[in-house]
Amino acid sequence: FEAWDAGDNVLPAYSVTDLINAAIFSLENGDNESAMLHIDRALAIMSDGPGKEMMESAKSQIEAGDSSGSLETITSLQEQWPIGDPANGATLYATNCAVCHGDNGQGGGDGAFPALNPNQFIQMNSNSELVKFLQVGREGTAMAGFEGRLSEDEIADIVAHLRTWQP
């Protein structure tokens, strides 16, 4: 609480991904009250955009008594989450990734830094899996994680940018 009281930016102890998963679990088990709690917590930390709009729609569906519709909406969101902004991702990529992976994702360092344009690993994984990978990095390689340096939203923006390079 000291950091928050001092006006420091304090990150929540849970991610939107965790809250989406918890809301789905609650809805699947008929616990609309818990689902609403998870949805409200997610909405409090989500950036404006299509993902937040989907979450607001799911909340409205529960309020209207349509639990199954809400579950369908949140499950669809889970499949797409996180939804990033590719234009902002291009800027973040240039600042955080291009030094190793090249300006256009062509790779570098005599193979030490893989090409990302295109990249089968990116193509085979979901947005949430890629965000988690970029948060933690790859042990034993130069690929350090960005957790604590970039927000989940910023990493999602980078993922959205990387997706523009995939067939």
Side-chain angles (χ1 to χ4, degrees):
F1 290 113
E2 290 176 24
W4 183 77
D5 285 339
D8 293 339
N9 186 15
V10 179
L11 296 175
Y14 39 78
S15 71
V16 173
T17 301
D18 295 335
L19 293 167
I20 289 171
N21 293 337
I24 289 171
F25 178 82
S26 296
L27 287 168
E28 288 174 338
N29 288 284
D31 187 355
N32 290 357
E33 189 175 324
S34 291
M36 285 295 280
L37 173 68
H38 299 305
I39 289 170
D40 284 337
R41 285 182 173 169
L43 286 169
I45 60 174
M46 291 174 89
S47 299
D48 290 339
K52 189 168 189 173
E53 291 170 11
M54 288 178 77
M55 188 64 84
E56 288 168 341
S57 176
K59 180 178 178 174
S60 296
Q61 288 170 310
I62 291 174
E63 291 170 340
D66 184 9
S67 300
S68 61
S70 180
L71 178 59
E72 187 176 312
T73 299
I74 294 177
T75 301
S76 176
L77 175 59
Q78 180 190 44
E79 292 167 1
Q80 301 172 52
W81 187 260
I83 303 170
D85 173 0
N88 191 49
T91 301
L92 290 164
Y93 176 89
T95 305
N96 296 281
C97 312
V99 67
C100 294
H101 294 283
D103 291 339
N104 297 304
Q106 71 273 16
D110 294 328
F113 306 106
L116 303 175
N117 182 6
N119 181 283
Q120 189 174 22
F121 180 78
I122 294 169
Q123 295 168 32
M124 291 176 52
N125 285 281
S126 70
N127 289 354
S128 62
E129 290 167 330
L130 292 171
V131 166
K132 184 56 77 179
F133 171 77
L134 291 173
Q135 286 173 325
V136 299
R138 179 172 279 162
E139 192 174 325
T141 72
M143 180 62 208
F146 288 99
E147 191 164 38
R149 296 186 290 151
L150 294 174
S151 70
E152 184 179 44
D153 286 341
E154 289 170 322
I155 295 172
D157 291 347
I158 292 171
V159 170
H161 171 64
L162 295 175
R163 293 267 186 229
T164 67
W165 289 340
Q166 308 312 307

